[in-house]
Amino acid sequence: MAKYKIAWMPGDGIGIEVMEAARIVLDKLKLDAQYLPADIGWEFWCTEGEALPKRTMDLLRSVDCGLFGAITSKPKQEAQNDLIPELQGKGLLYRSPIVRLRQELQLYYNLRPCKAYPGNPLNYRDNIDLVIFRENAEGLYSGVEFFPVEDELREMMKKYSPALGNFDDVAGSDMAMTTRIVTIRGATRVIRKAFEYAKKHGYPTVTLVEKPNVLRETSGMMVRVAREIHKEYPEIDLWETNIDAQVMWLVKNPENYGVMVTGNLFGDIVSDLSAQLVGGLGFASSGNIGDNLAVFEPTHGSAPKHAGKYISNPNAMLLTTKMMLEWLGEIEKAKALENAIAAVILEGKVRTYDMGGDSSTIDVAEAVAERL
Ligand code: IPM
Ligand code: MN
C-alpha cells in the first residue's frame, strides 16, 4: 500500500493541464502515493446539478490531502442555462465548490506564500517574501445573506443594532445584506497558525490586517484575539494595520512585510495583490488547511480562453505541490522541488508566454523534473 492517499481533482480548463505538470514532478520525486481521481467541476454542475458531488466529499474525508486544479464558475443566470433540461427549473443553486470545500471540511486557513524568485522578469521588486494567512471558513464568505430583507427580520435586527434605522426609508425589496461573521474560534485558530509559522520560519513580525476603526465588532474581535495570542510569542512583533493602508504599503514597501493574517475577503484581496508583486497568478500557490486535512490549489482560475493550449504557467501549481509535500512532512522532497523551480526560473531558458518565453506548460514541468 502506498504511504499517502491523495485526492486528485483537476477540475476544469487549465486545471487539467497544470495538474499534468504536477504529476510530472511528483513522479520524478517518486512520492509514495496513490492518486485517487475525484469529480469536481462545471460538467458535474451541468449534468448532476452539483459541481462538487457527495462522492467527492466522501473521498476527501478518507484521504491524507487533496490536490486541486481549477474550476469554472459562472453568474447565476448562466449557470441555470447550462443545466441539462431535466434539471432546469428545479431551483438548484450554484455555490462555489471551493468555498463549500473550505467550510464543510473546516479547512480553516488559507496559506498563500508570495515569494519573488530571483531572475523572474515579472517580479515587481526583489526581496519580497510575503506569507498570507487568510481566514478561510467564515467572515464575509459565511453565506449568510438576505435578499429581499423581510420586515420581520429588519425590526428584530434594529432592536439590537439601531444603525439599521438609517435605512427605514428603503423598501426591503430594494435592499440586500451579506453578513460578516467572525468567531473567537475562527479568529484564534488562524491567528495562532500565523504566529506559529512566523516563529518556526524566523519571521520577526506578524501583521494583522483588518479595519477595526470601522468594523468595530468583527475586526475588533480579530484585534483582541491577536493581542492575546501575541502574549505567547513575545519574540515576534505584532503589527496592526488597516486593510486600505496595508495594500498601499504593500505596493510602496513590500519588503517590509512577512507574515500577514487577515479575514476571508481581505485575505482574498491581499493575496491577489501580493501575487502580482511576485509575477502574478502564474506564481501564486495556496493551501486550504484544517486540522487533519488539506486541499492544495493554485490561486488562479480555470482560464477558459487558454484551455487546451498548454501555454499556462505551471509554476503556481508546482509551488502548490511543494506546499503539499511540506504538509505531508516530505520536507526533503519539498525543498528539492522548490530549488528546482527556482533554478529553472533563474536560468530563464524555459519560460511560458507570461514570462516572455514560448515554452509550454509541460516544457516547464519537464525542465523542473530534470533538475530533481
Ligand atoms: C480564491 C478565489 C475564490 C475565493 C473564488 C473562486 C470563490 O478567488 O481562491 O481566492 O474568492 O476565495
Ligand atoms: Mn481570490
Side-chain angles (χ1 to χ4, degrees):
M1 226 180 68
K3 187 166 178 199
Y4 305 113
K5 274 195 208 166
I6 299 177
W8 195 257
M9 304 182 284
D12 299 317
I14 64 161
I16 297 164
E17 301 163 26
V18 294
M19 288 286 276
E20 276 177 42
R23 193 55 177 273
I24 290 171
V25 299
L26 284 168
D27 286 348
K28 186 69 190 285
L29 284 166
K30 296 197 171 59
L31 184 71
D32 185 9
Q34 193 189 356
Y35 302 102
L36 303 162
D39 295 338
I40 184 169
W42 195 249
E43 64 171 291
F44 302 102
W45 162 253
C46 301
T47 57
E48 301 178 27
E50 185 49 271
L52 174 58
K54 181 171 177 299
R55 57 185 179 280
T56 300
M57 290 300 281
D58 291 342
L59 177 79
L60 278 166
R61 291 192 173 94
S62 75
V63 294
D64 293 290
C65 66
L67 195 63
F68 172 53
I71 189 164
T72 299
S73 42
K74 300 185 186 177
K76 208 166 162 183
Q77 197 49 51
E78 277 174 62
Q80 290 305 317
N81 297 343
D82 277 5
L83 286 170
I84 53 169
E86 296 88 304
L87 294 175
Q88 298 271 346
K90 291 205 160 165
L92 292 169
L93 264 187
Y94 184 81
R95 268 193 72 202
S96 162
I98 187 69
V99 173
R100 278 193 49 207
L101 261 178
R102 293 168 181 168
Q103 295 180 350
E104 288 174 31
L105 299 172
Q106 285 294 306
L107 307 176
Y108 58 81
Y109 69 101
N110 196 323
L111 177 54
R112 297 189 156 179
C114 296
K115 196 191 268 188
Y117 287 97
N120 181 356
L122 300 175
N123 285 341
Y124 172 70
R125 216 173 276 167
D126 296 330
N127 299 317
I128 300 175
D129 179 13
L130 303 166
V131 185
I132 297 138
F133 282 77
R134 165 184 176 187
E135 199 293 317
N136 215 26
E138 52 182 48
L140 271 164
Y141 280 60
S142 299
V144 181
E145 301 196 287
F146 306 94
F147 176 76
V149 185
E150 303 293 346
D151 290 346
E152 196 187 339
L153 177 68
R154 286 173 73 173
E155 285 314 311
M156 172 78 91
M157 288 182 75
K158 215 161 74 180
K159 275 211 301 225
Y160 297 95
S161 193
L164 199 53
N166 296 334
F167 297 91
D168 276 349
D169 58 341
V170 179
S173 54
D174 286 348
M175 187 189 286
M177 227 185 244
T178 298
T179 51
R180 183 185 203 222
I181 297 181
V182 171
T183 65
I184 293 281
R185 176 189 70 171
T188 303
R189 57 194 184 179
V190 65
I191 293 170
R192 186 173 294 286
K193 287 291 170 190
F195 274 100
E196 270 172 19
Y197 187 98
K199 181 171 179 176
K200 183 165 171 204
H201 295 92
Y203 288 84
T205 59
V206 166
T207 305
L208 176 76
V209 186
E210 280 292 329
K211 186 84 188 178
N213 52 343
V214 179
L215 308 178
R216 292 176 188 282
E217 302 307 341
T218 49
S219 288
M221 184 175 281
M222 293 283 277
V223 169
R224 280 201 309 282
V225 168
R227 289 181 186 171
E228 208 40 50
I229 294 175
H230 179 220
K231 291 182 189 154
E232 297 167 41
Y233 299 86
E235 70 280 24
I236 295 168
D237 281 337
L238 170 63
W239 291 352
E240 295 171 12
T241 66
N242 287 330
I243 175 71
D244 51 345
Q246 183 63 52
V247 289
M248 196 176 66
W249 291 331
L250 276 173
V251 173
K252 193 167 178 226
N253 299 315
E255 55 288 325
N256 287 2
Y257 299 91
V259 174
M260 291 183 278
V261 58
T262 181
N264 210 333
L265 183 64
F266 294 164
D268 185 40
I269 297 165
V270 168
S271 55
D272 274 17
L273 179 104
S274 302
Q276 193 55 48
L277 300 176
V278 301
L281 290 177
F283 294 86
S285 57
S286 88
N288 303 279
I289 308 179
D291 282 328
N292 303 304
L293 181 66
V295 174
F296 296 88
E297 48 151 354
T299 312
H300 62 66
S302 65
K305 71 170 197 254
H306 291 159
K309 297 187 188 155
Y310 285 87
I311 56 169
S312 302
N313 191 338
N315 276 313
M317 179 48 108
L318 300 180
L319 290 165
T320 298
T321 306
K322 171 232 159 204
M323 285 176 76
M324 178 182 81
L325 290 167
E326 247 162 26
W327 192 77
L328 288 170
E330 296 285 345
I331 307 301
E332 299 281 290
K333 287 184 169 41
K335 278 216 182 90
L337 179 53
E338 184 177 25
N339 290 340
I341 295 167
V344 171
I345 292 172
L346 184 62
E347 191 189 47
K349 282 195 188 141
V350 186
R351 287 177 167 173
T352 44
Y353 78 94
D354 54 323
M355 297 174 75
D358 59 6
S359 305
S360 74
T361 306
I362 302 300
D363 292 337
V364 176
E366 279 171 352
V368 171
E370 238 166 69
R371 294 181 176 260
L372 289 170

